[in-house]
Amino acid sequence: MLESGQIVPRRVPSPGEVLRRELEARGWTQADLAGVTGRPAQAINEIVQGKKEVTPETALALSAALGTTAELWLNLESKYRLHQAQQNRARTKQVEAIARRGRLQRLVPLKELIKRGWVRKVSALSDLEREVCAFLGLRSIEDEPVLGASFRHSQVRRPEPGPQLAWVKRVEHLARAQEVPPFDAARLEADIPALIAHARRVEDAPRALDVLRQHGVRVVLLKHVERSYVDGVAFWLDEDGPVIGLSLRYDRVDAFWFTLLHEIAHILDPRRIAHLDVEDGEESEANSRAGDWLIPPDAYGKFTAGQRFSEASITSFAASVGRHPGIVLGRLQHEEIVHFSRFRHLLRKVSPYLDVSV
């Protein structure tokens, strides 16, 4: 049985738990206690279940009935309610922390960013939030990041915004480190033939990028982020001129050149396309312009008119228009004129000749 003032529990029980044990020790029922105290049996049951608080009046009644002090029951009630409040606060903080971590994960693919060293691995959540905010250029983790970018990405898989955002932000960081002369759209457009002249050999791909940089275009080659499905991006770096980013997701000579020219078409567009969800017409327009730059349409039309294609015919036509045969093959396969399984050795990799960041 209880002795006055002698309860030191290992955890914080409710007054109802203590009362239930005390009644069991005495062999009393809740109805017995109700009869002794003159209180409704329901009121006693609600105290036992922790649904009803022990008020000073109830504490006096219990102390008189059980031979304890009223302070005992009031102290049990006070400690229990304080413990409950602390637990609720801890649960609230836990839920808040989960929500904050969820927000970070929705914004960017954290594991990949840490693995690549784009953000530091830190243990404290607040420090991790600061790392991500610094990476994304946000004042607060609650701010919404804004992308002024036109993307070329997979038409089959739906890109996830977090990986896409992370990739383009890293492109932006790397672009800011490059120094180029002022951008001149007219000069660049006039030099497109000279730029594409480097499409004859795979190993000349870096020279095309040099031409772009000489005309004030920052070019970043950055390994793609999983689930971003981004091939390329074009955007303006404040007032410092345009940026082109390439992921080399498809490490082939045809994909490299087509994506590069697609992004050039965007930065030469006087509308200065600067948004993520580009209209289908805008993408189709950029695709058409890139395709016509890459392979002269008249010559291509004559080449594809009623002919059976061989490696020799593809190589010969490519030489006649000054292009690598893989570029011609890629176009034929994309248009399903030649099966994707044929002549795969012509689709040479470009990454061995380029400086690709990770």
Side-chain angles (χ1 to χ4, degrees), residues 233-282:
V233 65
F235 60 93
W236 257 254
L237 195 60
D238 303 324
E239 297 302 319
D240 294 332
V243 175
I244 288 178
L246 303 178
S247 71
L248 299 188
R249 189 166 66 94
Y250 294 112
D251 187 6
R252 305 190 312 254
V253 61
D254 62 317
F256 166 80
W257 274 101
F258 186 80
T259 302
L260 178 65
L261 292 173
H262 175 98
E263 303 307 339
I264 293 174
H266 275 309
I267 66 175
L268 290 179
D269 192 321
R271 293 170 295 180
R272 186 179 282 195
I273 296 170
H275 50 85
L276 178 57
D277 296 318
V278 293
E279 298 294 331
D280 289 344
E282 291 167 346

Side-chain angles (χ1 to χ4, degrees), residues 90-121:
R91 280 194 291 269
T92 299
K93 286 185 175 180
Q94 184 180 27
V95 170
E96 289 176 351
I98 291 172
R100 289 163 63 190
R101 287 194 293 270
R103 168 70 173 162
L104 288 175
Q105 190 62 45
R106 288 193 302 274
L107 277 175
V108 291
L110 278 172
K111 286 185 178 179
E112 184 152 8
L113 266 62
I114 292 171
K115 180 181 178 181
R116 294 198 189 189
W118 296 359
V119 300
R120 291 185 306 133
K121 183 178 182 179

